[in-house]
């Protein structure tokens, strides 16, 4: 198995990046080993096939899975911002309701009810539909934010590519939890989620059960300003396989990354170096994302029509 390492700024690894071989002229006597080699050879051959060709198999790749990690991070930070400053929620897909409690805390509800965001990237035209509700509890000590806990259950995020038949991504999330503890103006944040994501690219389909987790730190003041440096980020996305098999894992560690939280213009900005036999850079700017020396490249939707989690990136294969 190859592991991609990001130097200085980020570290990303993925069990989706796998190759296998046996020493030349070595006999394969184990059925398990033989099946593994056959499956790996099929994956290699599939890389040379294009969508729509007979035998093409679609799966969520390591690069696209990394963008999902970043999207989940943006979503969690966006929810925290609106929990603490609901007046900013009007810029987003959410409607906010705030109830002041007798204990001095806040009960906040963020609701997106089948909100459609139409947007265009260099990969085509898309329509994203989000149905999601966050129930949030905020506590204060001496007038200062102490803790935040946001929970979402049974949400749906779906994407359709316009003018391209049978091309879509559906993300059905069973539960997501965002928690934050304020320590001297620094939010210690934990984000978890689990559900199922499936997609179809022309005549090929894929489906994965996922579990996501991340811990990070961010300045409370910067978060409320909508532009923050993310520190000590440590995230993992597992695609859960049948019982007895290890999950396919994508992970990301970041000592330095900046995020801009402006409703339908959210973005994470970073530049990574991936070390391996063929080193590559993953670069995200305010305009788009690309992995050098690869076909993975796309602009983002324009500000005002940009979903926080861009599921169109899951279709790049």
């Amino acid at each position: 198995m190859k592991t991609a390492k990001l130097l200085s700024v980020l570290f990303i690894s993925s069990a989706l990046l796998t190759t296998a071989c046996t020493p030349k002229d070595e006999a394969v006597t184990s059925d398990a080993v033989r099946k593994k080699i056959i499956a790996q050879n099929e994956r290699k051959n599939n890389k040379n096939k294009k969508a729509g060709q007979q035998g093409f198999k679609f799966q969520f790749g390591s690069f696209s899975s990394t963008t999902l990690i970043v999207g989940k991070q943006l979503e969690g930070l966006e929810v925290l911002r609106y929990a603490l400053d609901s007046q900013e929620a009007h810029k987003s897909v959410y409607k906010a309701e705030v109830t002041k409690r007798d204990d001095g805390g806040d009960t906040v509800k963020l609701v997106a009810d089948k909100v459609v965001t139409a947007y265009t990237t260099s990969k085509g035209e898309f329509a994203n539909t989000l149905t999601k509700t966050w129930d949030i509890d905020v506590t204060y000590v001496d007038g200062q934010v102490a803790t935040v806990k946001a929970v979402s259950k049974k949400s749906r995020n779906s994407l359709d590519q316009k003018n391209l038949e049978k091309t879509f991504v559906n993300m059905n999330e069973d539960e997501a939890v965002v928690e934050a503890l304020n320590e001297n103006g620094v939010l210690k944040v934990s984000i978890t989620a689990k559900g199922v994501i499936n997609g179809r690219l022309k005549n090929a389909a894929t489906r994965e059960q996922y579990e996501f987790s991340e811990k990070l730190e961010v300045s409370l003041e910067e978060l409320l300003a909508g532009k923050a440096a993310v520190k000590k980020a440590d995230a993992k996305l597992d695609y859960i396989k049948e019982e007895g098999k290890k999950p396919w894992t994508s992970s990301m560690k970041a000592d330095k990354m900046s995020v801009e939280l402006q409703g339908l213009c959210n973005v994470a900005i970073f530049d990574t170096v991936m070390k391996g036999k063929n080193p590559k850079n993953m670069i995200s700017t305010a305009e788009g994302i690309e992995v050098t020396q690869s076909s993975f490249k796309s602009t983002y939707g324009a500000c005002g029509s940009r979903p926080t989690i861009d599921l169109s990136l899951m279709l790049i294969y």
Side-chain angles (χ1 to χ4, degrees):
M1 178 179 295
K2 297 179 180 178
T3 302
K5 295 181 178 178
L6 303 187
L7 302 179
S8 70
V9 179
L10 288 174
F11 168 79
I12 295 176
S13 70
S14 177
L16 298 174
L17 295 173
T18 57
T19 59
C21 58
T22 55
K24 188 175 180 180
D25 297 330
E26 179 179 323
V28 179
T29 58
S30 167
D31 287 340
V33 172
R34 184 181 295 106
K35 289 178 180 178
K36 181 178 180 180
I37 294 171
I38 291 172
Q40 290 164 340
N41 287 337
E42 286 179 349
R43 285 198 295 269
K44 284 183 180 180
N45 293 335
N46 188 47
K47 289 181 180 180
N48 298 320
K49 295 177 181 177
K50 297 181 179 180
Q53 288 184 338
Q54 185 176 5
F56 170 76
K57 294 181 180 179
F58 172 48
Q59 64 182 26
F60 299 129
S62 58
F63 297 149
S64 60
S65 297
T66 300
T67 69
L68 184 57
I69 289 176
V70 176
K72 292 298 293 178
Q73 178 191 95
L74 281 171
E75 180 185 58
L77 292 174
E78 177 183 49
V79 167
L80 288 175
R81 187 188 186 199
Y82 298 149
L84 300 173
D85 187 1
S86 61
Q87 293 183 354
E88 289 293 315
H90 73 277
K91 298 178 182 179
S92 74
V93 295
Y94 295 110
K95 291 183 179 180
E97 300 175 6
V98 182
T99 302
K100 298 289 185 179
R101 300 196 306 267
D102 293 338
D103 64 1
D106 293 336
T107 297
V108 184
K109 184 182 288 288
L110 298 177
V111 180
D113 186 10
K114 298 180 181 178
V115 178
V116 178
T117 303
Y119 65 107
T120 301
T121 75
S122 56
K123 294 297 184 181
E125 297 180 44
F126 303 91
N128 189 96
T129 305
L130 179 65
T131 299
K132 195 161 195 170
T133 297
W134 292 93
D135 292 304
I136 308 169
D137 176 77
V138 184
T139 65
Y140 299 87
V141 174
D142 296 330
Q144 301 296 315
V145 175
T147 64
V148 183
K149 183 175 182 178
V151 179
S152 172
K153 293 186 177 182
K154 299 298 180 182
S155 67
R156 179 176 174 84
N157 194 3
S158 62
L159 174 104
D160 290 290
Q161 184 162 1
K162 297 182 179 180
N163 305 317
L164 197 57
E165 187 179 1
K166 296 181 180 179
T167 302
F168 61 83
V169 178
N170 295 322
M171 191 171 184
N172 295 300
E173 200 157 76
D174 295 325
E175 183 181 60
V177 179
V178 181
E179 296 182 275
L181 173 66
N182 184 11
E183 293 187 0
N184 299 317
V186 176
L187 293 182
K188 305 292 182 71
V189 181
S190 170
I191 307 169
T192 60
K194 60 182 179 180
V196 173
I197 182 169
N198 70 289
R200 189 172 184 89
L201 186 56
K202 293 189 176 180
N203 65 338
T206 190
R207 180 183 184 277
E208 297 288 355
Q209 179 184 346
Y210 69 89
E211 292 182 359
F212 172 79
S213 62
E214 179 171 16
K215 293 186 182 298
L216 60 88
E217 294 182 5
V218 65
S219 160
L220 173 59
E221 182 179 1
E222 291 180 356
L223 179 74
L224 292 175
K227 191 172 184 178
V230 175
K231 300 178 180 179
K232 299 182 180 179
D234 189 351
K236 183 176 72 167
L237 176 68
D238 286 333
Y239 291 149
I240 307 301
K241 301 304 177 182
E242 51 265 41
E243 187 176 355
K245 290 189 177 182
K246 292 183 178 180
W248 285 4
T249 300
S250 295
S251 61
M252 181 185 76
K253 292 185 178 180
D255 291 325
K256 186 177 180 181
M257 172 189 284
S258 65
V259 296
E260 296 182 12
L261 304 171
Q262 301 297 335
L264 288 165
C265 193
N266 296 333
V267 69
I269 298 175
F270 56 89
D271 185 346
T272 74
V273 179
M274 304 177 70
K275 186 179 179 181
K277 286 187 176 180
N278 299 300
K280 297 177 176 64
N281 282 55
M282 177 178 278
I283 304 168
S284 176
T285 67
E287 289 75 37
I289 190 168
E290 68 173 311
V291 176
T292 59
Q293 302 179 57
S294 80
S295 60
F296 194 94
K297 183 176 183 180
S298 177
T299 58
Y300 293 133
C303 279
S305 60
R306 179 186 299 171
T308 298
I309 298 178
D310 187 352
L311 293 177
S312 73
L313 299 174
M314 303 300 290
L315 294 170
I316 303 177
Y317 184 70

